[in-house]
Amino acid sequence: MKGPNDVGSEAAEPDAASEELDPLLIIQEQFDRARAHLTGFKRGLIEFFQVPKRSISVCFPVEMEDGSVRTFHGYRVLHNRALGPGKGGIRYHPEVTEREVAALAALMTWKCAIVKVPFGGAKGGVVCDPKELTETDLRRITRRFVHELGDNLGPHTDIPAPDLYTTEQTMAWIFDTYDILHPGENNRPVVTGKPLDLGGSVGRRAATGYGAFLVTERYLEVAPLQDFTSLRNARVAIQGFGQVGLAAAEAFRDAGARIVALSDSQGAIHREEGLDLAAVVAHKREHGTLVGLPETRTLTNEDLLLLDCDILIPAALGNQIRADNAAKIRARLVVEAANAPTTPAADDILRERGVIVVPDILVNAGGVTVSYFEWVQNIENEEWDLEEVNARLRRRLRRGTRQ
Ligand code: NAD
């Protein structure tokens, strides 16, 4: 275990455009900007929020399905527990770093506070490429990672959830591993985003994407843009077509918006008249990508960001809107469904150009909100229906947006 100021040794490579892209430095800069608006806090207390409370770095060997043995690195960072137990997703991605995980853990602290969920901020990750791993490999990596973290996870201490390339199945493995280590206890609240049969909540899978829609809808009520007060016929471009991108696309479509572009890691598709989401899902299921769907134009992910549209929703990776492309963004509203998709320099450029950025810590807070509902249901041995979950989600996100 490391001290609070030792988070990772790997600083980011200087960027060609000389923009700082190190995720932890970016989050710290954003916090510095926000703290200018905070009054009445003692200096030492503010400093406490600038560094993670705890950072765990583990390394473990796994025997792969093909008989080889590989060593993996994993991280779990607890940023702050002032409001309650740590809460935050675990991501599996080849580019995971301890600094990125620490930055995302801090975002979780602010996110929970905005929607008044009684959790603190945490995040985890394992450096691996899920696309090259079998299901057996992923199960073994997950079990071993949870075992390494031991009692640093717990229903009242630190509670994981899904994130990039982790799913309900991953959460089921986390629950099962923890449950074996703690027999005879109600261990279901140790992880959220579980399958329904294991105590998951209805509405959790769609919560983040649906929440992005609820926040946007409320934002336009509170601060209407000139000539743009309703989502009906709004042209929406979404980067990413995973759990968040798909649910956001469905919610915006159901409100009458036109989804003009979507993307995955292999590229983007564009259709000005609007995409048929059922056809996109079917194509992705059959071909492993949405690229190549008939009657669509193929674009790069970069092209998608620069499309002429009303709402741009980055719902994939961080640092997508940077100093080198922000001046070319043509959307009127950027709705940050992904974590940290816009750099501080890009934020400045967009603000100067009058492009509104609705921030990640609000836009994607629907996920942690329904995770909290799942946790409450698990503790109380209750099961709420979708109507109740979504009504509660709507109330919290509308209140958070207003604030
Ligand atoms: P996911 O793994 O389900 O989907 C990720 C999507 O991003 C996939 O469509 C993938 O093809 C795409 N992608 C990967 N690399 C890309 C690239 N280089 N360019 C464009 N697209 C690329 O993940 P998710 O759960 O949908 O999470 C998406 C984002 O939302 C992440 O930033 C995550 O941190 C954030 N988020 C997720 C949740 C949640 O509840 N799942 C909650 C809060 C925030």
Side-chain angles (χ1 to χ4, degrees):
M1 259 181 246
K2 297 182 176 181
N5 292 315
D6 295 331
V7 181
S9 50
E10 72 276 40
E13 294 283 319
D15 180 67
S18 78
E19 185 179 12
E20 180 56 74
L21 295 179
D22 176 63
L24 193 54
L25 293 180
I26 286 179
I27 294 300
Q28 283 168 346
E29 176 168 351
Q30 288 174 332
F31 180 72
D32 278 343
R33 290 177 177 206
R35 67 186 275 195
H37 301 275
L38 294 174
T39 50
F41 287 93
K42 293 206 165 141
R43 195 188 156 93
L45 196 55
I46 293 282
E47 279 166 11
F48 179 57
F49 281 107
Q50 277 177 317
V51 287
K53 184 176 174 62
R54 183 181 75 191
S55 183
I56 302 170
S57 162
V58 295
C59 159
F60 50 90
V62 174
E63 184 178 4
M64 314 301 285
E65 194 176 4
D66 66 8
S68 65
V69 175
R70 283 176 55 188
T71 298
F72 291 89
H73 296 265
Y75 309 103
R76 184 73 185 171
V77 175
L78 179 64
H79 174 258
N80 191 276
R81 224 157 45 186
L83 292 181
K87 185 85 191 82
I90 291 182
R91 59 172 55 184
Y92 288 175
H93 196 271
E95 283 157 29
V96 163
T97 64
E98 191 172 0
R99 295 179 70 82
E100 178 192 56
V101 173
L104 294 168
L107 283 183
M108 287 304 296
T109 301
W110 319 134
K111 205 175 292 186
C112 293
I114 286 184
V115 287
K116 294 197 187 305
V117 160
F119 289 141
K123 202 80 179 188
V126 176
V127 187
C128 64
D129 187 353
K131 289 182 182 168
E132 289 178 353
L133 297 167
T134 67
E135 180 157 326
T136 300
D137 295 337
L138 287 167
R139 175 165 41 79
R140 290 179 185 168
I141 291 168
T142 305
R143 286 193 180 286
R144 190 65 199 254
F145 182 47
V146 172
H147 200 269
E148 291 288 337
L149 293 176
D151 280 340
N152 292 297
L153 299 182
H156 300 285
T157 50
D158 188 355
I159 306 150
D163 195 70
L164 266 181
Y165 294 113
T166 54
T167 60
E168 288 178 4
Q169 177 61 72
T170 325
M171 302 306 115
W173 293 327
I174 293 175
F175 162 72
D176 189 56
T177 310
Y178 186 87
D179 196 51
I180 290 168
L181 297 169
H182 300 82
E185 294 170 32
N186 173 13
N187 293 314
R188 283 183 302 164
V190 74
V191 62
T192 61
K194 300 182 291 292
L196 291 182
D197 290 346
L198 283 180
S201 176
V202 289
R204 173 61 185 89
R205 195 180 304 163
T208 308
Y210 178 52
F213 158 74
L214 291 173
V215 168
T216 311
E217 184 190 45
R218 182 67 178 138
Y219 180 85
L220 289 173
E221 286 170 16
V222 175
L225 302 181
Q226 210 180 4
D227 312 323
F228 182 23
T229 49
S230 153
L231 291 169
R232 185 149 287 283
N233 285 324
R235 293 164 306 151
V236 179
I238 304 178
Q239 186 194 52
F241 197 58
Q243 184 167 309
V244 178
L246 171 61
E250 287 176 338
F252 278 88
R253 175 206 56 194
D254 292 348
R258 229 184 321 152
I259 312 300
V260 295
L262 289 166
S263 72
D264 61 23
S265 60
Q266 299 184 46
I269 53 173
H270 175 231
R271 186 168 187 268
E272 193 52 31
E273 304 77 35
L275 292 160
D276 173 354
L277 292 184
V280 180
V281 170
H283 190 84
K284 173 119 183 143
R285 193 173 302 132
E286 193 180 336
H287 301 279
T289 175
L290 36 70
V291 176
L293 178 71
E295 293 175 38
T296 63
R297 199 159 65 96
T298 303
L299 304 174
T300 64
N301 263 291
E302 180 72 13
D303 295 336
L304 178 143
L305 298 174
L306 310 183
L307 272 179
D308 183 12
C309 63
D310 299 305
I311 302 178
L312 172 64
I313 308 182
L317 307 175
N319 288 346
Q320 296 299 296
I321 305 176
R322 300 171 305 268
D324 61 354
N325 63 3
K328 294 182 264 176
I329 300 278
R330 287 193 279 170
R332 301 188 63 188
L333 206 60
V334 174
V335 173
E336 295 187 326
N339 281 311
T342 313
T343 65
D347 263 329
D348 292 340
I349 295 167
L350 293 172
R351 188 179 312 111
E352 271 168 30
R353 296 182 52 232
V355 179
I356 306 290
V357 179
V358 194
D360 50 4
I361 51 174
L362 172 64
V363 171
N364 67 34
V368 73
T369 304
V370 177
S371 274
Y372 166 59
F373 298 160
E374 180 176 333
W375 184 78
V376 171
Q377 291 172 77
N378 290 163
I379 288 175
E380 294 182 348
N381 283 307
E382 280 290 341
E383 224 176 276
W384 304 347
D385 60 24
L386 185 60
E387 216 173 36
E388 179 166 5
V389 167
N390 281 345
R392 287 175 184 255
L393 173 66
R394 189 166 188 271
R395 264 202 306 279
R396 273 180 197 263
L397 291 183
R398 286 175 71 81
R399 195 172 56 200
T401 308
R402 187 74 188 88
Q403 282 173 349

